[in-house]
Amino acid sequence: MKIAVIGTGYVGLVTGACFAEFGLFVTCVDIDEKKIENLKNCKIPIYEPGLESIIRRNVSAKRLSFTTDIESSIKNNLVIFLAVGTPSNADGSADLSSIFDVSRKIAKFINSYKVIVNKSTVPIGTGSKVKEIIRNEKKNNCDFDVVSNPEFLREGSAVNDFLRPDRIVIGAETDHAIAIMKDIYSPHYLNEPPLVITNIETAEMIKYASNAFLALKISYINEIANLCDLTGSDVHKVAKAMGMDGRIGSKFLHPGPGFGGSCFPKDSRAILHTSKMFGYNFQLVETLIKVNNNQKKHAADKILRLLEKNVSNKPLEKCTVALLGLSFKPNTDDVRESPSLTIIEELLRYDISIKAYDPAAMNNIKNIFGNKIQYMIDEYLAAKDADCLAIITEWNQFRKLDMEKIKKLMKNPNLADLRNVYEPEYIKSLGFNYTCIGRETVA
């Protein structure tokens, strides 16, 4: 089968490459000529483990190609996946301009029956609007179906998530479209992921409901962690015991400086906006957004309090803080709405000097902050002469640092462990002043 994937961002690139890995013939389309030229030469614009090797293998096998020619891609492929961006507008709604622009191009160039699949995360009702645009603007009698097939890819493990999904959701209106979608996903038969077949609106809701619930779990455990700091409780043991309850589960019960990335913040705002459009006050989602924003500032406050309490020989504006980890999570270079952004902004408000290191996200942070902060080549150079070291993202290489060496390098031994990577008792035994999330009194 031949398919086209329009949009070569994170979702589109992973989707196209993995479908090609299944043996389908895939054309990935984008309007960015430079990006397409780089992809033709297997230069990958994102950091995603395992993706480059899949792209190289399938480009070589001629199952995967890249082009800016949207007309031929629409005309020559049976199934057209829409994987363009849907960023947040100022009011929290999703910007669907790219989705609708592509829909108009499909209407212009459609020449035979097509299945148009929304892979982008879109608000409930978008599928109906796409169908309306194509139906009203197409110049011939070609039939088509619109399908919602939301993605559930985690940055840093997207390839595995696509190849071994927990479930595949297909929202469609005709048996013919469902049969084609089942055929596309038939290579999954060995793993037998559950297929959820439903209407378009339900499929669209499943995506938002899933992401908002996961965001809610993170915000909830962060609130519990903050209460643990005040009560002398250990949030790690609290979360472990909670996770043993099959009704709750252990995933996403890891306290930290708040969530970020391209999905949870945007999707939480979008479902809140949708609920308001329908006259419903979605109080839980509204609260989780506030909790998450507060958690990022709370993390920055922990660093500031550590400095104020333990660096008595100079004011805050003379202090230096080393930040380890800038991406919103490990194994990605994505810094969109990362806690590091809020933390850097808060520290800069006090004119604190910042030295930063991340294995993948340095360039993306530099594009935002320029020369306002220093960029180091490793974690030890970042720690040198610092008054505080803060772990913001739990990259594996930060989990077993030579903390005795770190202490010798620093001017003042202050550690803000915002991902609870280290045991408080061990760090304190080395002579560090220590703060973390939800384990303040544990020693």
Side-chain angles (χ1 to χ4, degrees), residues 201-227:
E201 290 77 13
T202 303
E204 291 168 340
M205 178 64 86
I206 287 169
K207 169 65 176 184
Y208 277 118
S210 298
N211 277 3
F213 182 74
L214 295 174
L216 182 63
K217 286 188 76 173
I218 295 171
S219 293
Y220 180 80
I221 200 62
N222 281 337
E223 290 277 80
I224 291 294
N226 296 340
L227 186 57

Side-chain angles (χ1 to χ4, degrees), residues 377-409:
I377 62 172
D378 65 37
E379 49 268 65
Y380 294 99
L381 282 177
K384 190 175 187 303
D385 296 327
D387 297 293
C388 179
L389 179 71
I391 300 175
I392 301 177
T393 312
E394 68 279 29
W395 286 87
N396 282 338
Q397 67 192 72
F398 301 154
R399 293 180 179 276
K400 202 68 177 176
L401 295 171
D402 184 341
M403 295 308 297
E404 293 182 355
K405 178 180 178 180
I406 292 283
K407 184 185 176 186
K408 291 177 182 177
L409 288 170

Side-chain angles (χ1 to χ4, degrees), residues 389-391 415-423 434-437:
L389 179 71
I391 300 175
L415 176 63
D417 185 2
L418 303 180
R419 294 289 182 175
N420 293 357
V421 174
Y422 291 94
E423 285 298 320
Y434 180 74
T435 190
C436 57
I437 305 289

